[in-house]
Amino acid sequence: MKFISKLKNIHFLSLMGTGGMSLLTFLFTAILYRSLSIKEIGIWFFFQALLSFLDTFRQGFLTTAFVKFYAGASEQKGQEVIGSTWYIAALITMFLLAINIPLLFFSHFSTDESLAFFIKYYAINLLCSLPMVVAMCIAQGGLRFDTLLYIRMSQVLLLITLLVTLNILHLNSLQNLMMANIAATLLTSLLTLFMGWSGISYFFRKQKDCIREIFDFGKYTVGTSISSSLFGVTDTFVINFMLGPSSLAIYNLGKRLMEVVEIPLRSFVATAMPSLSKAYNSGNKKEVIEIMKKYIGTITICLFPVLVVAYIAAGLAMSIIGGGQYNNTPAGDTAINIFRIFTTFALLYPADRFMSVALDAIHRPQINFMKVIVMLVVNLSADFLGVYLLGNVYGIVIGTFFPTITAIGISYYYINKDFKKFSLVNSYLSGYRELARFVTMGLKQAKNLR
C-alpha cells in the first residue's frame, strides 16, 4: 500500500503524464514519417511549430498566473480565478482569430506552401482547443495531474487512431491529417466540458479585480512560457524559408529524440512552480533557493546517464521513429548528428528552466520577459550566422547553445542580486545529496522488508 501511495504523488503523476505523452508522440511521429512525403512532413511540422508558439501566448499568459492565484485559494476565490481565466482566455482567442481571419482571403497569394497551409487552418484549431486549455490550467492549479494526464493523452490517442485509420483506408494526405487533428482536439475539448474539468460553469463568477490581477501577472509570465518554444519557432522559420521544408523534416526527426530530456523537464517544471510559490508566499527565502537548487541538481545528475545511452543508441532510435527508408542515408545521418550535437549541451537545460520558474515564483516575471527578448536576439543572430557560414541545419543546431548560456547568466545574476545569493555549483552538490538521501532511504526500506 505504501508503494501504491508513492506512485500517486504529484511528481510521479506529472512524470507519467509527460512521459506517456512523449511516448505517444513518438508513436505518432513514427507513423507520420511512414505516411507522408518528406516535404509534406516538413509542412506539417511548420504548422505545428507555429501553432504551438502562438498558442503559447494564450497558455503562457494563463497557466503560471492561474497556478499562482488558484493554489491554496478559498473555494470562492478559486471560482473567481477560474471565471476570470475563462474571460481572459476567450479574449485572447478572439484577438488571435481577428488577426487570422482577414489573412484567409490572402493566403492563396502566398508562394510558400507551409505558410499558406498554416493561415488556412490556424483559426479552427485555436477555437477548438479553448476549453481544453482552460481545463489543463485548472488541473495543474489543483495538482490534479491525473486529470491532466487524461486530457493530454486523450487528444494524442484520438489523433493516432484517426491517422492509423487513414492509413488503413489509404486516405493518408496532409489535408486529411489536418481534419483528423481538428477532430481530435474538438473531441477532447468536448470531453473536458462533459466531465466538468473545464470549469466553464464559473464563467460569470469573474471579477474585475481578479481579471486585472491575472492579466498584470500574466503579461510578464508569458515570457517564461515562450522561452522554450520561441527559439524553436525562429529555428523553424529560418530552416523553412532558407533551406526548405525537407530540411525542416530532417531537423525535426533529429530533434524529436530530445524528448528524453524534455520528458523529465516538463514534468518537474509543472510541479516546481506550486512548491516554489508556496515557499515564497510563506516568506521563506532559504526554502525557495533550496527547492530550486534540488531541482536543478537532481534533474541534471539524473539526465547524464540517460544522455550517454541516448547518444550511443541514436541510430537505433532514429530508425525506429523515421523508418528503414532513412537508414544509411544522408538525411538519416544528418538527423542522428543533429541529436548528438543537442545532447552535448542538454545538461544546461535544467538550470535554465528551473531558474526561470524561480523568477516567476518570487514575483520577478519582468526579468524573464526581458531575458526572452535578449535570448531571441541572440538566437536569431546565431541562426543566420550559422546558416551563412555552414549552409545547412548544423548551423541552426550549434546556434541554440548561445541563447541557453545567455539565459542562465541573466537568471543567475538577478536571483543573486535581487533575492538571495546561491552557487550554481552548489546546486549540483545539493542534487547529489538529495539523490544519495533518496537511495539510502530506499535501501533501508528494502532491508526492512526482508
Side-chain angles (χ1 to χ4, degrees), residues 211-408:
I211 291 171
R212 187 179 301 110
E213 199 174 34
I214 294 172
F215 182 87
D216 288 341
F217 193 85
K219 67 185 179 183
Y220 291 114
T221 59
V222 68
T224 302
S225 299
I226 67 174
S227 61
S228 58
S229 61
L230 180 62
F231 312 107
V233 80
T234 55
D235 294 344
T236 297
F237 265 78
V238 173
I239 295 171
N240 183 74
F241 294 121
M242 295 184 70
L243 301 174
S246 297
S247 293
L248 183 58
I250 296 169
Y251 173 81
N252 275 279
L253 180 56
K255 193 176 182 182
R256 181 62 59 188
L257 300 177
M258 286 302 292
E259 285 296 306
V260 297
V261 177
E262 292 297 332
I263 289 172
L265 278 182
R266 284 197 297 264
S267 62
F268 286 106
V269 162
T271 61
M273 184 59 186
S275 301
L276 289 166
S277 295
K278 184 178 179 181
Y280 177 79
N281 291 338
S282 66
N284 196 332
K285 286 188 175 184
K286 183 179 179 181
E287 186 180 1
V288 171
I289 294 299
E290 286 302 316
I291 292 171
M292 181 192 71
K293 285 165 57 180
K294 286 178 182 178
Y295 271 106
I296 293 173
T298 303
I299 302 302
T300 302
I301 293 170
C302 290
L303 277 179
F304 184 75
V306 175
L307 288 174
V308 171
V309 173
Y311 187 97
I312 296 171
L316 175 62
M318 188 281 301
S319 63
I320 292 173
I321 298 174
Q325 68 268 32
Y326 293 99
N327 285 338
N328 300 316
T329 64
D333 292 341
T334 300
I336 293 172
N337 291 335
I338 288 171
F339 170 67
R340 285 177 170 162
I341 294 171
F342 273 126
T343 60
T344 59
F345 49 84
L347 291 176
L348 297 173
Y349 293 173
D352 173 25
R353 298 287 178 86
F354 290 111
M355 281 197 286
S356 293
V357 174
L359 283 169
D360 279 340
I362 65 174
H363 281 280
R364 303 293 193 280
Q366 68 275 16
I367 295 174
N368 273 327
F369 183 78
M370 175 272 293
K371 181 181 69 178
V372 168
I373 301 301
V374 175
M375 290 172 69
L376 176 60
V377 173
V378 172
N379 191 67
L380 280 172
S381 301
D383 280 354
F384 285 118
L385 184 62
V387 172
Y388 175 77
L389 293 176
L390 300 180
N392 53 45
V393 293
Y394 291 129
I396 302 290
V397 180
I398 295 171
T400 58
F401 172 78
F402 298 99
T404 303
I405 287 291
T406 301
I408 291 173

Side-chain angles (χ1 to χ4, degrees), residues 85-331:
T85 298
W86 256 107
Y87 182 78
I88 296 172
L91 285 181
I92 294 173
T93 302
M94 288 188 289
F95 173 75
L96 293 172
L97 288 176
I99 294 174
N100 178 250
I101 290 174
L103 294 176
L104 291 171
F105 299 100
F106 302 97
S107 61
H108 60 281
F109 292 112
S110 175
T111 57
D112 186 88
E113 291 182 61
S114 301
L115 190 58
F117 187 76
F118 174 80
I119 293 172
K120 185 176 181 181
Y121 292 109
Y122 171 63
I124 184 66
N125 276 274
L126 186 73
L127 192 60
C128 288
S129 63
L130 177 58
M132 185 175 67
V133 167
V134 179
M136 289 192 293
C137 286
I138 296 171
Q140 186 173 333
L143 298 179
R144 291 303 306 269
F145 290 97
D146 51 345
T147 302
L148 197 61
L149 175 62
Y150 300 147
I151 296 171
R152 288 173 171 172
M153 294 188 73
S154 294
Q155 182 191 22
V156 182
L157 279 171
L158 282 168
L159 181 56
I160 290 173
T161 302
L162 291 171
L163 178 58
V164 170
T165 302
L166 289 174
N167 277 280
I168 292 173
L169 298 176
H170 302 289
L171 296 174
N172 46 308
S173 67
L174 193 58
Q175 302 295 330
N176 288 341
L177 175 61
M178 178 53 66
M179 294 301 105
N181 187 69
I182 293 170
T185 303
L186 178 60
L187 288 172
T188 304
S189 284
L190 291 174
L191 174 67
T192 65
L193 291 169
F194 178 76
M195 296 297 292
W197 296 336
S198 70
I200 195 170
S201 58
Y202 300 124
F203 181 86
F204 294 105
R205 300 286 179 90
K206 64 185 185 296
Q207 296 292 326
K208 289 183 179 180
D209 290 342
C210 189
I211 291 171
R212 187 179 301 110
E213 199 174 34
I214 294 172
F215 182 87
D216 288 341
F217 193 85
K219 67 185 179 183
Y220 291 114
T221 59
V222 68
T224 302
S225 299
I226 67 174
S227 61
S228 58
S229 61
L230 180 62
F231 312 107
V233 80
T234 55
D235 294 344
T236 297
F237 265 78
V238 173
I239 295 171
N240 183 74
F241 294 121
M242 295 184 70
L243 301 174
S246 297
S247 293
L248 183 58
I250 296 169
Y251 173 81
N252 275 279
L253 180 56
K255 193 176 182 182
R256 181 62 59 188
L257 300 177
M258 286 302 292
E259 285 296 306
V260 297
V261 177
E262 292 297 332
I263 289 172
L265 278 182
R266 284 197 297 264
S267 62
F268 286 106
V269 162
T271 61
M273 184 59 186
S275 301
L276 289 166
S277 295
K278 184 178 179 181
Y280 177 79
N281 291 338
S282 66
N284 196 332
K285 286 188 175 184
K286 183 179 179 181
E287 186 180 1
V288 171
I289 294 299
E290 286 302 316
I291 292 171
M292 181 192 71
K293 285 165 57 180
K294 286 178 182 178
Y295 271 106
I296 293 173
T298 303
I299 302 302
T300 302
I301 293 170
C302 290
L303 277 179
F304 184 75
V306 175
L307 288 174
V308 171
V309 173
Y311 187 97
I312 296 171
L316 175 62
M318 188 281 301
S319 63
I320 292 173
I321 298 174
Q325 68 268 32
Y326 293 99
N327 285 338
N328 300 316
T329 64

